[in-house]
Each structure stands twice: as structure tokens, then as C-alpha cells.
Amino acid sequence: MAATEASALSIRNVSKAFPTPEGGEVKALDDVSLDVADGSFMVLLGPSGCGKTTLLRCIAGLESPDSGEIDLKGTRIDDVPVWKRRVNTVFQSYALFPHMTVTQNVAFGLQMDKLPKGEIAQKVDRSLELVRLTGLGGRRPSQLSGGQQQRVALARALAKEPEVLLLDEPLSALDLKLRRGMQLELKRLQQETHITFVLVTHDQDEAMSMGDRVAVFNEGRIVQVGEPREVYLRPRTRFVADFIGEANIVDVITEGGGAAITGWGAIPGESWAADSPAIGDGRRVAAVRPEDVMLTAGGDGRFPIIDATFIGGDLHAVVQVGDMTLAARQPAADATGLSTGGRCDVAFRAGSLRIVED
Amino acid sequence: MARRSTSGRAGQGTWWAGLPGLAYLVALVLAPLVIIVIFSFLSRAKLGVGVKWEFTVQPYVELFYSESLSGERSFDPTYLQIFFNSVVYSLITALVCLVLSIPIALWIATRPPKWRTLLVFLVTIPFWTSLLIRTYAFVIILNDNGPINGALTGLGILSEPIPMLYTPFATIVGLVYSFLPFMILPIYASAERFDFRLAEAAYDLGATKGRVLMRIVLPAVRPGIIAGLILVFIPALGSFLAPELLGGGKTSMIANVIAAQFGASRNWPFGAALSVMVLVIVMLALVAFAVVARRSSRRGSQQSLESLL
Amino acid sequence: MKRWKNRRQSGILLALGLTGIMALSACGGETTVGGGASSAPASSAAGSEAASPEAPAGDFPTPNGGELNLYNWTDYISPDLLKRFESETGITVNLDNFDSNETMLAKLQAGGANYDVIVPSDYMVAQMIELGLLQEVDPASFPNGQYIKPEFMDVYFDPGRKYSAPYMYGTTGIAYDPTKTGGEITSWAAFFDANSPAAGKIGTLNDQVEVIHAALRATGAQPCSTNREDYVKVEELLAGWKPGVAVINSDGVIGRMASGEQTMHMMWNGAFTRAQADNPNLQYVYPAEGITLWSDNFAVPVGAQNVDNAKIFINWMMDPANIGEATNFVGYDNGITGSSEFMTADLGANPAVVIPDEFKALAAPVPGCSVEAIDLYDQVWTNFKK
């Protein structure tokens, strides 16, 4: 994974461990490598404790990696003190300085760079305009709403015109409606400023809607990197399939040259996605999205329907197949005769099954 | 804002719970103050011990005017100078305490919680023994034959011991030692509440350690600093032991002069007038602190102040 | 006037109360006598024998139990001696302590204090008599009144001993180390000399009355002068002397002189004997200009509840054996004839304790100064310590 010319940020083989209170050690980052293209929007996605925030702090300089290397625009920065890195962060808590006004907060970083006063004032105005807070410069953070505080934190970091802007779960404190708005806002800001954004989130919807690329973290490692659509459509591992969107994980066994699902039967060749990894010999797992599980009603159906609920325009059903349960989702129009306690037959949409790493 | 609505309500149902404390304050704080103020306007008793119930402002005149030994009545700055000395000693003490306390308090506040409890406990250990005994301990420590001079001469760093005891330096050392915990504890209390993520944010924005301290941490612990300055300055102003025992009694502070008025000098009304002056100085100092505190919090936050008032 | 054990600055508590500081170790407080060790040699057998034949003459009261409330200087009487008094008379002694005459006077004037015997110094006896605070119990007429030394009988503060009985007396002189000064010190003028060989190593008591008494003497004036010109000279003398003064403090004098930390110090004679025990080089000076002879006295305040017990106690303390034992504890000589027989040999022979005949003329009591003189003392002293 060599850094390309267009890499804003290149992370190579970074590891970081923290001591536990019991005297042991927990690996927050385990040999992580990642390239972030210049001017792109990268999302680090994963459950809490997966190491994504630790990586962000290592990039910012608030933690130092135990090993590995971090390059910013081709220059190694992991041994550069935090205050000298051309990287700025929007913190989850916003970390606005309570004793300063909005203007003073935004100006702070520029003052640290010892810019002339006039230039600072100009940049502060531009930043506040960018986040649409013009006119609120005289307020204290405590006099602002959560969404406004969020914008101040953004303006403060953007005013420094960093090479890379780091955002640590920036939307988690906002309510759902505001969050949607801010997602679009962040996307707009990134496109207007052409600054490289690296955003940490545990919310897959957020990741899908904002990121140019998504890096999925699990237990200190990056398990998959790619465009959101690609990661959704082609999960490489069971974890990714499960974490991003919903997925049924089914056990697949080889059977006379083909493959079968216990309790269901042999899998027709056209069910497999064209680029699915080969099954190979032995037991493997495959993932299939609920919307690709098709149910047909019938009193003589092979499988009992454990639960069937209409949510919006869709039927959400759970069907017992052998030892496992399968989740299915289909438009209500195609769902006549499917009800809890009934029976049905199950088929997989062509090209929907995909072998994943267990 | 939110603070306003809760502060008025807290304890509303149990107003009477404050009565014992109030009675205590009236009986043991207010009453002696009133007595001192009254005494300061009375005449000296026969032979000077006690007071005679005749109104006079003579004690206050004596603060500024005296009959010189050659017999002329003129302005006499002696007492003003002693007040000034005391204020200077107290200010130096408060500032030295401040400089020493900030790193200590911040260091404690950044330890893991269980260590913090222990460290705060260690800070309070000097309170276990009386101030008198601790001040005497410094007589031994600072002595020409004491451990500091002993070690320095023993190691050959000095050929002659440096005289430290019975100097203004010793007085300041004693005062700083006596009052240091009163500075550390309030600053620690503020620092403990400080959100260290703000310091991280400042580093992230390009601030070096010194600038983080000056621009972010100190403003955040300012309530503790102001409380500490008050808690050190005021009692230091009334110090009696350090100037006597460590300063060698050569430079009086106000308390030493007051003590003499109630003892060998036998002038209770004048002692009372001096005490009233101490009160006035303390009040002026408090007002000054309040003004400084308000002015610096008003800067750039007109609205927040208005909303609190 | 001066005690060498555990003495505290007078007025500490007042000053603390007024200026609002807290904290202090105990400076007194009421204690019932009991326990405590003392090095006083046992002379009880001789003492009681000497006392009993003289006892109940005329209508002098006989012990009948009860209590005695004694208000004394801190650490100024042997606990063993009080215990013996209790066992011989069946009277329980409650002891309370003060640290200056002014403290004691203020407490009695405030009323509500309940003491049977108090221990005022000479000038204070005179003032308390003037203020009508003492009972005329006529100690001279007590059975042991006959032992009062003649020179302690017709004292200025209580001629004929109508109100008070003598306890300890002493002097406030100069202690110095001749091996360090390289010459003899014999006068107050030498003590206050700006060019003294001891300069930089001079200590003095933090006592405006004693220091200014001495300074007045050094300039050829008399203590308690009300002549302002005398004080102009005193102020000049003190201003020249101050740069050579290391410490103005009444506490820790013994330690400072015994260790050689200071070369010359204004000192009470009782304290001197203790410092000399550690540092035999030290000498005590009876300065040529005169020296203050102070004395402390037993008296019964107006309002005492147990007057009979007070008389019994004062009489008992005038017994030569008992007061001799008291001297052994505090290190000062007393005003009772024949008590030297019961004193330890080194005390009786020490010229600092028992004034040698050639210096007797120099040592005289100084009556309390007038308020006018006290004001001048205060003015000079405040300026000196500024």
C-alpha cells in the first residue's frame, strides 16, 4: 500500500496499545494502514471501542503510535508535536472555550499562528459565513444551541485551513432531524473547501451518505475499505456484512461439486453474485440481504413464518429454515398471503448470495 | 439562565435549617466585630486596661497624627507604613503561594482519581498540628545551625552559613508555608472540574504548552485563583507569629501592633481602631477582587452577565 | 513578670481574635492539679514539721477541705508541690494560667472570673489595689508572715504587706559570652552600643517596658520618665542599635544563648541559669546604670469564693521549706527568709539567682509607669519595630 501522489494522508502499519486497569494491555490499533486521497471525504466506521477514534487522535497528535508511520502530504508527522501539525479536529464534545466568545474561539487558532490582526478578522468572518453563523460572533458558547455550537467548532477548525480536517463523531450529540441537515452541510463544506475530511462515526447511515470512501474498523483493524456502495454490496467479511445494513448469514456446505444450505437444499448457480469468492471445500458462510430473500405464500409451503409485520410499505418477515432463521423484506404488494403462523417457500434473488470471511 | 431558576429554589422548604449557623455567625462573628467598632470610639480606662464609656474619635486621630517627641502635633506615617508593610507582605505571600500552587494543583488534578484523594489529603496534613508548632519548626529549619545551612556548609557549597532566620525572607517563607494549602485547595477544586479536552482542543489549534496554560487553563481555574488569593491575603494580613518568630520581631505587622495595644501599651480603644482599619483594608481588598473578577468576566460577554443578573 | 517555661507572647490570643486567624496551641486553660513530674527534692517532712508548731495562731482558719482556684503564670509552680499541698490540707487546687499581667487584669475586670488566689507582679499589685480589685487579707499577720524578708515587707506597691505576699523575684539583665565579645560588658550603654563587638548577634526581649527602661537608663535618664527630651535620645540610641540586632523575641532565649546563636541578649536571670548550664561561658551582668528588680506576689481578688482556703494556701507557700521547693522548680529566688536552706546548692550559690551584695544597690523595683509614659514607650517602641 504505497502512498500515491494524490494521498493527503498515508497511515502505514500503525499500532497502539493501552494498559488496562488489570495490568494487561488492549490493542486499540493493530497494524493499521490506510491512504486518504487529497480532497476526499473519508469515513472511519465501526462500533465503539474498535480503534477508529484512537487512529484519529494519532493523526491529530493527541496520541502517539507505538509503531508505524503517519505521513501528511508526503511528510512524516507522527513525531511532530500536536501544535505544529497542519491538521485540525472537530471534537465530539465540540470543546469550545467557554470563557471566549464565538469570534474569540474561531480566532484562537489563528492567533496561535501569529497572523496579523486584520487577516485574522477576515478569516474569522469567512469561516463564520461558511458555517452560516454570521452575526453570532459576540455570543458565548453557552448561549448557543447544540447545532450552533457544532458549527462554531467547525468554523474554528476550518479557519486554520488545515490539510486534513478530523471530525470525531461530530453529529452524535444532535437530534435526528438536525443530524440529517448537518450531514448534508458537512458534505457541502467539504466540497466547497476541498479540504480532506476524515470523519469518525459508528452510524452506518451517516457513513454511507457522507463518505467518498469508508474504512470499516473492527477490533483495532481495518477490515474493509472502499466506496460506500461497494462496501455495502460486496462485504468482504461477515462483520462488514452484518454491520453495514442488515444481512442474513447462512452456513453453506459443499455438496457434490455444488453447494447447499442445510434445511433448504442445493443452491442454484445463478443465486451467487458474479464476483463472489469461490466456495471451496468444507463449511463456509454466505451473506444475503433481507430484500434478496423472496417469499411465496402457500399452505403447503416448506417453512413456517415466525413473524410477519408491515412497516411502511414493506413486509418484514422472519422465517424458520432448518436450524436458522432468515429475515426477509419485500414490498407489501408482493406479500399477499404472508402472515405470522403461515407457511411459505423461500428463494434467493439471482446474484444475491456472497461468500464472506467468517 | 438555567442557574437562576435553581439557585432560588434550593433548600426553600427548610429555611430554618440555616438558623443555627446564622445564630452562630451573629453571636461569634458579628457581635465581636460590633464590640470592636464600639470600643474604637471610646476613651481609655484609668490605667489603660479596658475602656471608659465616653465617646471620642481620638483613636482614629492617633492613626494619622501624633505628638512628636519634640512636642509638635503633626502627621505621622508610622501606622500607615506598618499597614503598608503588612499589605506588601501579604501580597507577596499570596503571589508566591499562587505561583507555587498552580503547578501543584494542576498536577494533582491530572492524577487518577484515587491518587487525587490521597494527594489532597497530604496537602491538608500540616493542619493537623498547630500553627505555632509549625512556625517553631521553621525556626529550627532556617537557623544558622539548622539543616539547610548545615547541609550547604557540610557539602562545602558554603563556607559560612547564610543568615536566613530573622529576616524578611524567613517571614515570607513562614507565611507562604502557613497559607499554601489555602491556595492549593481552591485552585485544585477548580482544576478538577476543568475539562481537559479543552486543553487538547487548544493544542490541536496550534497552542504550545505555555499558551494552553495562559489562555485556556488559567481562565478556567480563575474562580479558584480568586478564592485562593482572598483566602491567603486576608489571614496573611493578620499574621502574628511569622513576623515575631521568623522575622525576629524587627518588622511589625498590624497584628503585632494590635496585640501590643491590648497588652503592654494599654490602649484598648487604639487597638480597636487599628482592628477596624484592618477590617476596612480587607473590605477594600475584597471589593478590588470583585471588581477585577467582574471586569475580566464581562469582557466580551456582556450578554451572559446580563442574563445572570 | 517573667517566667522561663513555655512563655507565650502576651496578647497572642487577643490579636488572633481581632484579626481573624484561627489555630493556636493551648495557652492555659483550667486544669486540676495532678500528675506531672518535677525534679524538686523532697523536703516535705521538714516542711510540715516546720509549719505545724506555728500553725493556728489566733483566728487563722484551719483546713476544712473544699477547693482553691489558683490563677498563675504558665508553668510557674511545681505540680508536685501543689499535690503535696492537697494531701496535707485536703483542699483541691484548680489551676488556671495567664501569660501577662494585662491579660490577668483584663479577665478580672471583665468579671465572672472565679479565682481565690492570683499572682500579680509588683506594679500590677499597686494598680489592682488602686482599682479596688484586691482584698485586704493582711498576709503579714499570717503565722508564716514572720518569714517575709525585711526588704520585701515595706515594698512600694504594698507597704506593710496588707494585700499581698511575696512569691518569686528576679532581675532583667544582660547575658553575654565574653569569649566572643573580647571584652567585658558591664553597662546598658555597652549593650546598646551601635559599634558593639556583638553586633549582628544581639538579641533582646520583645518587651517594650524592659527595653525602654534599659534604654532610658543607658542615656542617663530614669525609667518611666515623662520628659520628652529623654525619649528623643532613646529613639536615637535605638535607631543606631537596630542594625546590629538579630532578633527581638522573648521566646527561645535560652536556646539562642545556650547554642551560641546569639552572643549577647537581654535576659531574665532565671532563664540565664538554664542557658548557663549548657554554655558555661555565659555571664550575667548587673549593669552599672541599674537593673529592674521585679517580683511576683500572691493576692486574693475581690469576689473570691474560698477566702479561708486562699489564706491557708498563701500561708503554706510562705513556709520556707515549701517556697524553697518552689524555687528549685522555677529557678528564681523568693522573698522568704530561711528558704535558701531548702534550695539546691547550685541555685543558692549562683550570683545570677541570688543577687551578690555588691550589686544589691543596683537592683530596685520600678513602679508601674503612668499612662503618659506608657504612651511614650509605645510610640518609641512602635517606631523601633516598624
Side-chain angles (χ1 to χ4, degrees):
Chain A
M1 266 223 246
T4 62
E5 288 274 318
S7 257
L9 196 62
S10 170
I11 292 146
R12 259 166 284 149
N13 308 104
V14 166
S15 292
K16 174 81 184 169
F18 293 106
T20 61
E22 292 78 37
E25 183 168 87
V26 57
K27 277 197 166 178
L29 293 175
D30 185 4
D31 196 24
V32 169
S33 295
L34 181 69
D35 274 286
V36 181
D38 195 11
S40 71
F41 198 135
M42 169 65 82
V43 175
L44 310 183
L45 174 67
S48 62
C50 68
K52 59 194 191 298
T53 294
T54 304
L55 181 62
L56 203 73
R57 290 172 62 83
C58 285
I59 299 167
L62 297 168
E63 305 280 358
S64 50
D66 297 337
S67 62
E69 189 178 329
I70 300 173
D71 290 356
L72 180 70
K73 290 273 171 97
T75 310
R76 185 162 180 177
I77 57 162
D78 47 278
D79 48 2
V80 173
V82 49
W83 54 84
K84 287 188 183 162
R85 298 190 188 187
R86 296 209 27 86
V87 168
N88 290 104
T89 309
V90 175
F91 292 88
Q92 184 171 15
S93 63
Y94 312 147
L96 299 180
F97 307 129
H99 57 289
M100 296 183 192
T101 61
V102 168
T103 301
Q104 288 167 336
N105 264 282
V106 178
F108 182 83
L110 303 170
Q111 289 165 350
M112 295 301 112
D113 291 344
K114 301 201 170 97
L115 296 183
K117 276 193 174 174
E119 196 180 337
I120 291 177
Q122 210 181 338
K123 289 194 174 190
V124 168
D125 284 349
R126 203 191 309 145
S127 297
L128 288 179
E129 198 180 330
L130 199 59
V131 299
R132 297 171 184 168
L133 280 181
T134 308
L136 295 183
R139 297 224 186 148
R140 291 273 174 128
S142 58
Q143 296 168 301
L144 300 176
S145 71
Q148 288 169 327
Q149 291 181 22
Q150 162 79 77
R151 287 159 187 269
V152 176
L154 266 166
R156 187 174 68 175
L158 286 171
K160 297 263 296 181
E161 293 163 16
E163 303 281 6
V164 174
L165 181 75
L166 307 174
L167 302 104
D168 186 9
E169 304 257 9
L171 309 179
S172 61
L174 302 179
D175 62 45
L176 188 65
K177 205 171 146 196
L178 215 49
R179 207 184 304 165
R180 293 271 180 247
M182 274 312 285
Q183 285 174 9
L184 297 173
E185 186 91 12
L186 282 176
K187 194 77 190 158
R188 173 185 69 82
L189 280 172
Q190 197 266 326
Q191 282 159 1
E192 278 179 28
T193 58
H194 305 294
I195 291 172
T196 309
F197 277 32
V198 177
L199 181 143
V200 156
T201 183
H202 65 273
D203 181 336
Q204 44 134 337
D205 289 341
E206 209 167 285
M208 294 294 120
S209 65
M210 285 193 290
D212 295 331
R213 286 166 72 81
V214 175
V216 184
F217 275 71
N218 188 32
E219 293 174 343
R221 289 170 168 273
I222 293 179
V223 286
Q224 191 168 355
V225 187
E227 288 172 21
R229 185 182 151 76
E230 186 189 308
V231 173
Y232 182 82
L233 292 177
R234 300 190 185 84
R236 266 204 8 241
T237 71
R238 175 188 185 134
F239 172 81
V240 175
D242 212 19
F243 191 75
I244 296 177
E246 275 179 73
N248 291 295
I249 304 296
V250 294
D251 290 327
V252 176
I253 47 173
T254 43
E255 197 183 61
I261 295 169
T262 312
W264 184 75
I267 303 167
E270 70 264 24
S271 292
W272 292 108
D275 57 352
S276 172
I279 305 161
D281 284 337
R283 301 173 68 89
R284 300 295 302 276
V285 286
V288 58
R289 300 285 176 195
E291 56 268 32
D292 294 329
V293 178
M294 297 176 298
L295 308 180
T296 31
D300 56 349
R302 293 162 62 200
F303 309 109
I305 300 171
I306 299 169
D307 184 56
T309 317
F310 285 95
I311 296 174
D314 288 342
L315 174 81
H316 292 228
V318 180
V319 181
Q320 185 77 43
V321 176
D323 293 338
M324 67 176 174
T325 54
L326 277 181
R329 189 175 307 154
Q330 56 197 75
D334 304 341
T336 37
L338 296 171
S339 59
T340 308
R343 298 186 74 86
C344 65
D345 278 320
V346 172
F348 298 105
R349 195 183 303 280
S352 67
L353 268 176
R354 167 176 296 277
I355 293 293
V356 293
E357 287 171 31
D358 197 4
Chain B
M1 291 166 48
R3 205 180 296 165
R4 184 188 211 168
S5 57
T6 50
S7 67
R9 238 172 263 154
Q12 223 171 35
T14 53
W15 57 271
W16 42 265
L19 284 185
L22 197 63
Y24 182 91
L25 281 176
V26 168
L28 296 169
V29 178
L30 198 57
L33 284 182
V34 169
I35 290 171
I36 286 297
V37 172
I38 293 173
F39 273 22
S40 72
F41 288 103
L42 296 178
S43 309
R44 287 169 88 173
K46 191 179 176 188
L47 301 176
V49 175
V51 289
K52 190 162 71 180
W53 288 82
E54 264 173 34
F55 175 82
T56 176
V57 293
Q58 180 63 24
Y60 290 95
V61 174
E62 283 174 43
L63 282 173
F64 304 104
Y65 290 93
S66 71
E67 206 169 323
S68 76
L69 294 173
S70 49
E72 305 145 32
R73 199 157 188 78
S74 62
F75 177 71
D76 177 1
T78 304
Y79 293 104
L80 289 182
Q81 196 190 326
I82 290 169
F83 277 112
F84 180 75
N85 286 347
S86 305
V87 169
V88 168
Y89 269 110
S90 307
L91 277 179
I92 293 174
T93 302
L95 293 178
V96 173
C97 282
L98 181 64
V99 170
L100 294 177
S101 296
I102 287 171
I104 297 173
L106 291 178
W107 183 77
I108 295 175
T110 49
R111 294 312 95 193
K114 68 176 176 187
W115 282 101
R116 275 184 241 166
T117 317
L118 178 71
L119 290 166
V120 168
F121 170 77
L122 289 177
V123 168
T124 61
I125 278 186
F127 292 133
W128 293 9
T129 26
S130 92
L131 183 61
L132 186 67
I133 290 166
R134 287 182 282 139
T135 306
Y136 266 113
F138 270 92
V139 171
I140 294 166
I141 293 168
L142 298 175
N143 204 299
D144 284 2
N145 311 318
I148 296 178
N149 272 312
L152 290 176
T153 48
L155 292 170
I157 297 168
L158 293 176
S159 52
E160 282 281 300
I162 323 173
M164 288 184 287
L165 190 59
Y166 311 133
T167 61
F169 168 77
T171 305
I172 296 287
V173 167
L175 289 174
V176 167
Y177 167 76
S178 308
F179 298 116
L180 193 57
F182 292 109
M183 185 69 83
I184 294 177
L185 294 177
I187 295 180
Y188 164 73
S190 283
E192 194 201 14
R193 285 195 302 267
F194 176 68
D195 182 354
F196 280 92
R197 290 177 298 187
L198 296 182
E200 289 192 339
Y203 282 127
D204 186 76
L205 289 165
T208 52
K209 283 185 179 175
R211 280 152 159 238
V212 172
L213 183 70
M214 298 306 293
R215 297 277 316 262
I216 307 298
V217 180
L218 290 191
V221 299
R222 202 186 59 206
I225 290 176
I226 290 172
L229 285 174
I230 291 171
L231 285 175
V232 171
F233 176 79
I234 291 174
L237 199 60
S239 292
F240 182 88
L241 292 172
E244 283 290 277
L245 298 182
L246 300 173
K250 288 179 288 183
T251 307
S252 294
M253 286 178 71
I254 307 170
N256 308 102
V257 179
I258 293 173
Q261 299 308 319
F262 287 88
S265 302
R266 298 194 177 201
N267 197 340
W268 287 30
F270 185 55
L274 287 167
S275 307
V276 171
M277 284 300 289
V278 174
L279 279 178
V280 169
I281 290 180
V282 165
M283 280 178 197
L284 288 177
L286 284 176
V287 169
F289 277 125
V291 167
V292 170
R294 176 171 296 193
R295 184 176 297 159
S296 55
S297 79
R298 185 183 291 161
R299 224 178 291 141
S301 70
Q302 207 71 42
Q303 281 159 308
S304 92
L305 198 70
E306 278 161 16
S307 71
L308 282 171
L309 291 176
Chain C
M1 225 185 302
K2 330 283 126 96
R3 324 294 157 247
W4 46 256
K5 285 191 167 183
N6 274 357
R7 241 186 123 263
R8 300 277 182 265
Q9 287 305 304
S10 59
I12 281 184
L13 289 175
L14 264 177
L16 293 178
L18 293 173
T19 52
I21 322 170
M22 357 157 264
L24 241 234
S25 71
C27 276
E30 194 152 344
T31 43
T32 300
V33 168
S38 123
S39 56
S43 58
S44 63
S48 3
E49 274 163 33
S52 24
E54 327 287 345
D59 54 356
F60 196 76
T62 49
N64 190 22
E67 296 193 335
L68 176 85
N69 298 309
L70 174 62
Y71 194 29
N72 196 1
W73 297 79
T74 304
D75 244 329
Y76 199 37
I77 193 159
S78 156
D80 286 348
L81 188 65
L82 286 181
K83 233 190 276 174
R84 190 156 61 75
F85 171 77
E86 288 184 321
S87 67
E88 283 179 21
T89 61
I91 296 169
T92 306
V93 178
N94 303 313
L95 179 63
D96 195 2
N97 297 317
F98 58 84
D99 58 10
S100 78
N101 280 303
E102 283 71 22
T103 307
M104 188 254 316
L105 177 58
K107 193 156 176 183
L108 285 170
Q109 275 188 324
N114 176 26
Y115 300 115
D116 303 312
V117 174
I118 58 176
V119 192
S121 303
D122 38 39
Y123 73 98
M124 184 52 64
V125 173
Q127 291 180 358
M128 294 183 83
I129 293 171
E130 194 182 338
L131 291 167
L133 292 172
L134 298 185
Q135 293 197 35
E136 192 175 340
V137 291
D138 201 6
S141 71
F142 291 181
N144 289 339
Q146 55 175 310
Y147 297 121
I148 299 175
K149 284 178 185 166
E151 66 266 34
F152 280 88
M153 197 52 158
D154 277 323
V155 285
Y156 81 88
F157 52 86
D158 184 14
R161 289 288 180 183
K162 296 291 180 198
Y163 295 89
S164 66
Y167 185 46
M168 301 293 153
Y169 75 90
T171 54
T172 310
I174 304 165
Y176 78 112
D177 184 341
T179 64
K180 290 185 182 164
T181 56
E184 277 207 333
I185 305 276
T186 55
S187 66
W188 288 120
F191 179 73
F192 288 110
D193 183 2
N195 303 311
S196 162
K201 300 262 179 198
I202 300 173
T204 187
L205 298 176
N206 186 19
D207 184 324
Q208 67 183 63
V209 175
E210 286 297 352
V211 173
I212 295 174
H213 276 357
L216 280 166
R217 285 178 153 133
T219 56
Q222 285 305 306
C224 297
S225 163
T226 49
N227 181 353
R228 288 177 167 270
E229 279 165 28
D230 291 343
Y231 292 91
V232 176
K233 287 187 206 157
V234 164
E235 197 147 67
E236 229 169 77
L237 181 74
L238 292 179
W241 179 59
K242 190 179 180 184
V245 176
V247 55
I248 306 168
N249 194 331
S250 304
D251 292 299
V253 181
I254 296 169
R256 288 198 289 276
M257 288 308 287
S259 69
E261 183 188 318
Q262 308 302 336
T263 303
M264 181 166 74
H265 216 297
M266 178 184 277
M267 203 166 185
W268 302 302
N269 63 327
F272 172 80
T273 55
R274 299 225 314 169
Q276 193 189 31
D278 286 338
N279 184 352
N281 286 339
L282 297 180
Q283 286 199 8
Y284 189 74
V285 180
Y286 290 93
E289 298 94 336
I291 186 170
T292 306
L293 177 77
W294 51 262
S295 64
D296 291 324
N297 307 272
F298 292 117
V300 182
V302 166
Q305 301 291 304
N306 307 296
V307 176
D308 281 355
N309 285 350
K311 289 179 174 175
I312 290 166
F313 176 77
I314 293 170
N315 186 57
W316 193 85
M317 285 304 298
M318 286 195 291
D319 182 300
N322 297 337
I323 194 122
E325 189 179 332
T327 281
N328 289 334
F329 179 78
V330 294
Y332 289 100
D333 197 5
N334 61 67
I336 297 298
T337 314
S339 62
S340 55
E341 275 179 55
F342 301 94
M343 279 157 59
T344 52
D346 54 329
L347 276 181
N350 191 326
V353 178
V354 182
I355 305 174
D357 287 340
E358 71 259 40
F359 295 128
K360 274 202 169 141
L362 293 176
V366 179
C369 300
S370 63
V371 168
E372 195 192 347
I374 287 175
D375 280 353
L376 287 164
Y377 273 45
D378 179 54
Q379 194 177 338
V380 171
W381 185 249
T382 307
N383 240 324
F384 173 61
K385 295 231 306 170
K386 181 166 68 179

